[in-house]
Amino acid sequence: MFAVSADAHEVLTRLGLATGTRLIVDDTVDRKLTLYLTNKTVDEILSEIVATFGLSHAEVNGIHMISEGIPRGPSSYLLSDIDAIRTKYVQARNAKRLLPLFLQEHVQISPEQNAVVLSGPKPVLDKFRQNIEQFDIPAQQIMFDILVVEFTDSGGRDWDSRLGWTNDGLGASTKAVEDSTDPGHLVVHGAGALPNEFNAKLKALISEDKARVRANPSVATISGGRGEIFIGLQRFLQTPVEVAGGRGGESLNFIEAGVNLSLSPVTAAAGEILIDLQQEVSTLGALDPVTRLPDKTVRKASSSVRVRDGETVVIGGLVQTEQRTSRQKIPLLGDLPVLGGLFQSTRRRQVQTELVIFITPRLLSQTGHLPATEETAIRRRFLSPQAGNAPLAAPEAERAK
């Protein structure tokens, strides 16, 4: 059989006449066939045509019935099957977008079952299922250990001398306290493996009141997903504030301030992780005398980094200066009018601090676990009352595995 851009009805009719085969072709079939087949039986020829051009074929009482593969009417529907495939790891709406464009308009979604549904001939449905199985696989799970540390001005200098390190030319430090000409910006200072003495040195700074752990949360997400962490406070307002673009006059009765991190990781080859970081640090000031709302200072930054499993991204640059005033007085004498000032003393102190954020991504197993030795260490850390707040850095031997 040899045909070039021949009408499907003519090809199948001549096949039936030449072989004495009883064929019925549905009127909905509108195809131009190009094929070259030799040494094939009639059934093999029909199978080749049906599979190649997306048609449907059934034999009923010795009569071969050919119709459109995707049902467009009752006649083609009777020759088709329907298949609902529940996706395990991919959302059904995303699974539909990954299928060939010509097939997407025929695929339906069942959100309640997280399933994609298609009606067609068996070969089409078999291919449909194979395609979905190729990309319906579990995504890599990633856990972020996040450490937020506040250094004093002297603590920042000690950090540089005690904990600064170099990894293939990438260093990490808190030079913003001393050298930065624009200390209000968040900066990615470095990315690399933390030194083995990280915990010990950090605890030493904490014991000397040169550093303070503000928060040490963890969040897990999947490759291609997003994780968000907010560390801060909410100040409630007496008068709700209208939100720009809010639906139906939406309003808020509180304002948030603190550290807001948005992490979007994607796994790469050789155990590397690509991370899109969105960072925002905000602080609340005094109430405005007119609006009676607090002033809010916001600093934002976005960056993309590539790190290996267990390496740490260091973000710093947020410098704050506080004026602290303390007053002491002798009881009774300090309250005397006019002369009371002689029995009082006032001390003003300026404190400069910098907030540094350490972000360590870890690849988890498909069951959501770290290596057994690390999970044992974490359990020991939380069950021991002397564990402290400092995070537990993974040993170098574990990172190398």
Side-chain angles (χ1 to χ4, degrees), residues 1-70:
M1 174 172 279
F2 176 67
V4 177
S5 297
D7 181 75
H9 287 267
E10 182 179 358
V11 171
L12 294 171
T13 299
R14 293 187 57 179
L15 174 63
L17 293 174
T19 61
T21 303
R22 302 168 65 188
L23 288 168
I24 296 178
V25 183
D26 193 271
D27 292 338
T28 59
V29 175
D30 184 14
R31 291 283 194 282
K32 296 294 184 180
L33 307 185
T34 297
L35 49 88
Y36 178 68
L37 301 173
T38 60
N39 299 322
K40 300 285 186 180
T41 65
V42 174
D43 288 338
E44 289 173 342
I45 291 175
L46 291 176
S47 296
E48 292 282 354
I49 293 175
V50 167
T52 304
F53 298 98
L55 300 175
S56 180
H57 168 233
E59 185 177 355
V60 181
N61 297 327
I63 300 176
H64 295 271
M65 305 182 66
I66 309 296
S67 67
E68 280 288 341
I70 302 298

Side-chain angles (χ1 to χ4, degrees), residues 190-240:
L194 291 175
N196 291 331
E197 64 273 14
F198 175 82
N199 285 331
K201 300 298 185 182
L202 180 56
K203 287 182 179 180
L205 291 177
I206 294 173
S207 64
E208 297 170 7
D209 291 331
K210 295 180 178 180
R212 180 166 65 98
V213 175
R214 292 280 299 272
N216 186 197
S218 297
V219 62
T221 184
I222 61 173
S223 177
R226 186 175 67 174
E228 293 186 353
I229 288 182
F230 173 72
I231 306 165
L233 57 87
Q234 290 182 340
R235 177 177 290 182
F236 288 90
L237 308 174
Q238 293 182 350
T239 304

Side-chain angles (χ1 to χ4, degrees), residues 1 23 133 174-175 178 232 243 269 285 365 382:
M1 174 172 279
L23 288 168
E133 288 176 351
T174 59
K175 290 294 186 182
E178 301 179 31
V243 179
S365 66
F382 283 101

Side-chain angles (χ1 to χ4, degrees), residues 49 110 135 159 280 301 400:
I49 293 175
S110 175
F135 57 75
W159 160 264
E280 176 183 305

Side-chain angles (χ1 to χ4, degrees), residues 79-386:
L79 300 181
S80 301
D81 294 323
I82 191 169
D83 198 359
I85 302 175
R86 292 187 178 183
T87 55
K88 300 177 182 178
Y89 307 104
V90 180
Q91 293 186 0
R93 63 175 182 271
N94 294 333
K96 178 179 178 178
R97 290 197 292 264
L98 294 173
L99 292 169
L101 291 176
F102 78 92
L103 197 59
Q104 291 182 15
E105 61 177 306
H106 306 290
V107 175
Q108 302 299 320
I109 297 175
S110 175
E112 296 81 8
Q113 297 179 325
N114 193 43
V116 284
V117 184
L118 177 66
S119 180
K122 187 177 183 304
V124 173
L125 296 181
D126 291 342
K127 180 64 175 175
F128 174 61
R129 181 174 291 276
Q130 292 173 7
N131 289 343
I132 292 179
E133 288 176 351
Q134 288 180 354
F135 57 75
D136 188 24
I137 56 178
Q140 178 72 60
Q141 298 185 83
I142 304 169
M143 183 178 70
F144 290 95
D145 289 326
I146 299 173
L147 175 65
V148 182
V149 181
E150 186 179 64
F151 293 97
T152 63
D153 50 358
S154 60
R157 288 190 292 270
D158 286 349
W159 160 264
D160 290 333
S161 62
R162 297 186 188 185
L163 295 175
W165 76 93
T166 301
N167 178 45
D168 295 333
L170 296 176
S173 63
T174 59
K175 290 294 186 182
V177 172
E178 301 179 31
D179 304 334
S180 176
T181 58
D182 191 5
H185 283 198
L186 293 170
V187 181
V188 176
H189 288 295
L194 291 175
N196 291 331
E197 64 273 14
F198 175 82
N199 285 331
K201 300 298 185 182
L202 180 56
K203 287 182 179 180
L205 291 177
I206 294 173
S207 64
E208 297 170 7
D209 291 331
K210 295 180 178 180
R212 180 166 65 98
V213 175
R214 292 280 299 272
N216 186 197
S218 297
V219 62
T221 184
I222 61 173
S223 177
R226 186 175 67 174
E228 293 186 353
I229 288 182
F230 173 72
I231 306 165
L233 57 87
Q234 290 182 340
R235 177 177 290 182
F236 288 90
L237 308 174
Q238 293 182 350
T239 304
V241 180
E242 293 290 335
V243 179
R247 294 172 296 180
E250 183 180 358
S251 61
L252 296 176
N253 64 342
F254 63 88
I255 295 179
E256 293 182 339
V259 179
N260 200 331
L261 287 176
S262 177
L263 308 159
S264 300
V266 177
T267 54
E272 292 187 334
I273 305 170
L274 307 177
I275 310 173
D276 284 335
L277 295 173
Q278 304 289 333
Q279 313 110 40
E280 176 183 305
V281 179
S282 56
T283 56
L284 295 179
L287 295 178
D288 185 275
V290 178
T291 63
R292 303 303 300 168
L293 296 175
D295 295 328
K296 184 176 180 179
T297 302
V298 180
R299 296 178 177 91
K300 296 182 179 180
S302 60
S303 56
S304 298
V305 295
R306 183 181 72 239
V307 294
R308 295 186 181 91
D309 177 24
E311 292 184 340
T312 299
V313 180
V314 183
I315 302 173
L318 179 68
V319 178
Q320 291 183 331
T321 301
E322 297 181 4
Q323 297 285 349
R324 298 179 182 177
T325 302
S326 60
R327 179 175 299 175
Q328 296 179 339
K329 66 179 180 178
I330 299 176
L332 299 179
L333 296 178
D335 296 327
L336 293 176
V338 182
L339 299 177
L342 300 175
F343 304 96
Q344 299 178 2
S345 64
T346 302
R347 182 182 179 185
R348 292 181 176 86
R349 182 186 176 193
Q350 179 173 297
V351 179
Q352 194 174 39
T353 61
E354 180 181 9
L355 204 64
V356 181
I357 304 171
F358 302 86
I359 303 174
T360 306
R362 301 303 312 277
L363 296 176
L364 302 179
S365 66
Q366 294 299 337
T367 57
H369 290 80
L370 290 169
T373 54
E374 294 188 36
E375 293 207 346
T376 301
I378 292 174
R379 285 194 293 271
R380 189 185 307 116
R381 167 191 166 195
F382 283 101
L383 293 177
S384 173
Q386 291 82 23

